[in-house]
């Protein structure tokens, strides 16, 4: 767990849930961000990195989950929901792909993906609303903005900047319509 302080009510609540579920946990400090994901997860073959971390501190809560079955992961997420806890937005599962990454690199990537998904969700919702309200007499600017937005979210790897631009363009076009 990163940025989930034990002394705050939310941190206490999450730790109690983990203990109730019999899931061991560790706190990750900013100084540990230079460690590999594999080392932090206690995987064999990974040793402590002696390089100290000197980058920025991440402010968002983060859960790094390792060696949890799908059922155990679901139990944790369901337990949080049933307890009325807001979900931890940034989460990652240790994989063969990311176990060699430094944690700061993984956090940057997870943060970027989370931001893309937030913009993507807003844009997809606005596209649906706009497409549903489109009439034969709708302005050309609205139709063009809708078309570009639909193309942007259909890409295999949507560009975050393009999504933001499409969201602004479509939002502006719908207000002017």
């Amino acid at each position: 767990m990163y940025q989930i302080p034990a002394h705050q009510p939310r941190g206490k609540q999450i730790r109690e849930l983990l203990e109730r579920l019999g899931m061991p946990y560790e706190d990750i400090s900013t100084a540990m961000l230079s460690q590999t994901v594999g080392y932090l997860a206690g995987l064999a073959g990974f040793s402590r990195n002696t390089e100290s971390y000197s980058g920025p501190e991440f402010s968002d809560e983060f859960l790094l989950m390792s060696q949890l079955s799908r059922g155990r992961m679901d139990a944790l997420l369901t337990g949080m929901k049933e307890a009325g806890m807001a979900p931890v937005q940034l989460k990652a599962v240790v994989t063969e792909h990311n176990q060699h990454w430094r944690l700061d690199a993984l956090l940057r990537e997870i943060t970027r993906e989370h931001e893309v998904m937030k913009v993507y969700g807003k844009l997809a919702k606005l596209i649906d609303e706009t497409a549903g309200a489109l009439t034969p007499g709708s302005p050309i600017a609205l139709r063009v903005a809708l078309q570009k937005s639909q193309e942007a979210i259909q890409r295999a790897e949507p560009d975050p900047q393009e999504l933001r631009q499409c969201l602004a363009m479509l939002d502006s076009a719908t207000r002017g319509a």
Side-chain angles (χ1 to χ4, degrees):
M1 290 187 288
Y2 179 72
Q3 294 293 29
I4 305 174
H7 66 276
Q8 292 181 351
R10 178 171 167 75
K12 287 178 186 175
Q13 200 175 14
I14 291 172
R15 284 166 178 77
E16 287 170 3
L17 175 61
L18 289 168
E19 289 169 7
R20 208 169 37 251
L21 294 171
M23 294 180 181
Y25 61 87
E26 291 185 33
D27 291 314
I28 299 171
S29 68
T30 300
M32 298 167 82
L33 293 176
S34 63
Q35 300 303 319
T36 63
V37 170
Y39 171 76
L40 292 171
L43 301 180
F46 290 89
S47 56
R48 187 181 190 319
N49 183 354
T50 56
E51 179 185 337
S52 13
Y53 180 71
S54 60
E57 184 171 326
F58 294 85
S59 59
D60 292 326
E61 296 178 332
F62 176 69
L63 281 179
L64 178 63
M65 297 175 277
S66 177
Q67 303 172 21
L68 286 181
S69 68
R70 182 68 184 175
R72 301 275 289 150
M73 196 178 317
D74 288 346
L76 172 60
L77 300 176
T78 299
M80 289 179 73
K81 186 176 183 177
E82 288 174 351
M85 287 186 255
V88 174
Q89 295 299 312
L90 302 181
K91 300 179 271 303
V93 174
V94 177
T95 65
E96 282 187 34
H97 174 71
N98 69 19
Q99 65 186 348
H100 297 282
W101 290 28
R102 280 179 36 144
L103 186 60
D104 61 324
L106 179 63
L107 269 166
R108 276 193 299 279
E109 178 61 15
I110 295 296
T111 300
R112 186 193 70 76
E113 288 175 4
H114 182 69
E115 288 303 313
V116 168
M117 292 312 297
K118 282 188 347 189
V119 174
Y120 183 96
K122 288 178 184 176
L123 183 56
K125 181 178 178 192
L126 187 55
I127 287 170
D128 287 345
E129 291 169 357
T130 304
L134 208 59
T135 67
S138 294
I140 295 291
L142 180 60
R143 292 174 178 283
V144 169
L146 180 60
Q147 174 80 28
K148 286 185 178 189
S149 297
Q150 289 169 326
E151 291 169 2
I153 67 167
Q154 290 174 357
R155 297 191 207 303
E157 291 283 329
D159 175 55
Q161 184 63 23
E162 182 183 19
L163 292 177
R164 282 188 209 79
Q165 289 171 346
C166 286
L167 181 60
M169 181 174 54
L170 186 57
D171 184 53
S172 176
T174 57
R175 290 178 197 211

